[in-house]
Amino acid sequence: MSSKGTRPIAGLLALGAFAYAAWVLEVVLSTGLNPIETYVSELAAQDQPLGGLFRATDFTAGLLAFAGGLLALVRLTTYPEARRPWATVGWAGVTLFGAATAADAWLPLSCKPTVDPVCAARETAGLVPATHQAHAVSSTLAMCGALVAVVALTVAARRYGWWAPLARTGPLLLAAELAATVWTLGAIALFTAGRGTWALGAGQRLQVLLVALWLGLLAYSVHRERRT
């Protein structure tokens, strides 16, 4: 991508990465949830005392990432030399991730299925609000967008000779993100089948943390290239 005027993109992505990692506040705040076993999204559940805080940080993170991705896509139309297939797909992934993450904040869980058997039973029976199903869709879209972005922009960095820090470190984060995603999906499948949580929370928190780190690395790479 052309280095001209990329500061706003880098800034939006950096702030988005910071906001997306706000769930780490559970380390110092009393949430009553076990981070090893519970969904990250349960921090923002409607019955959580601090749910409003985590919904706000999710919405902020999504809005910032969406704006950064959309601005990058707009710039691709201005600078034809940067309009490469992997870059276009990757920035579209960032934009989708941001939009779906912001939507997540408006579609919170009503209760906590991993720690509340009644909630889990109601969810299995389809007796929970429609926001549960909508949240599952938006969360899936967010992670799909993130994975597309991580893969495509990491490939773009290496193939096109862009963003040296991302080209150097991106593949390691990509491998770790794929491993965390497999862990999370497997644990969710086992939990849904009634076979325990299998450290679902740890896997999902690692997955989300790696996305935040990758966004931060992308922001730094875009900013650094602006100066070279």
Side-chain angles (χ1 to χ4, degrees), residues 46-142:
Q46 289 179 321
D47 64 352
Q48 275 290 98
L50 297 175
L53 169 64
F54 291 108
R55 289 194 294 275
T57 56
D58 277 352
F59 180 72
T60 301
L63 199 61
L64 290 166
F66 173 77
L70 188 61
L71 182 57
L73 286 173
V74 170
R75 288 187 59 75
L76 292 184
T77 67
T78 306
Y79 297 97
E81 71 276 11
R83 204 180 307 144
R84 306 289 184 86
W86 286 106
T88 302
V89 171
W91 288 117
V94 172
T95 306
L96 172 61
F97 161 76
T101 298
D104 257 358
W106 291 97
L107 300 167
L109 300 175
S110 64
C111 54
K112 305 176 292 294
T114 62
V115 295
D116 183 352
V118 174
C119 177
R122 290 177 61 231
E123 191 172 65
T124 300
L127 299 177
V128 290
T131 51
H132 279 242
Q133 289 73 34
H135 181 86
V137 172
S138 60
S139 295
T140 300
L141 288 174

Side-chain angles (χ1 to χ4, degrees), residues 13-72:
L13 293 176
L15 291 172
F18 182 76
Y20 195 58
W23 57 268
V24 300
L25 289 172
E26 68 178 337
V27 174
V28 295
L29 298 176
S30 179
T31 65
L33 298 178
N34 182 348
I36 303 298
E37 307 294 342
T38 59
Y39 289 115
V40 176
S41 55
E42 288 177 309
L43 291 168
Q46 289 179 321
D47 64 352
Q48 275 290 98
L50 297 175
L53 169 64
F54 291 108
R55 289 194 294 275
T57 56
D58 277 352
F59 180 72
T60 301
L63 199 61
L64 290 166
F66 173 77
L70 188 61
L71 182 57

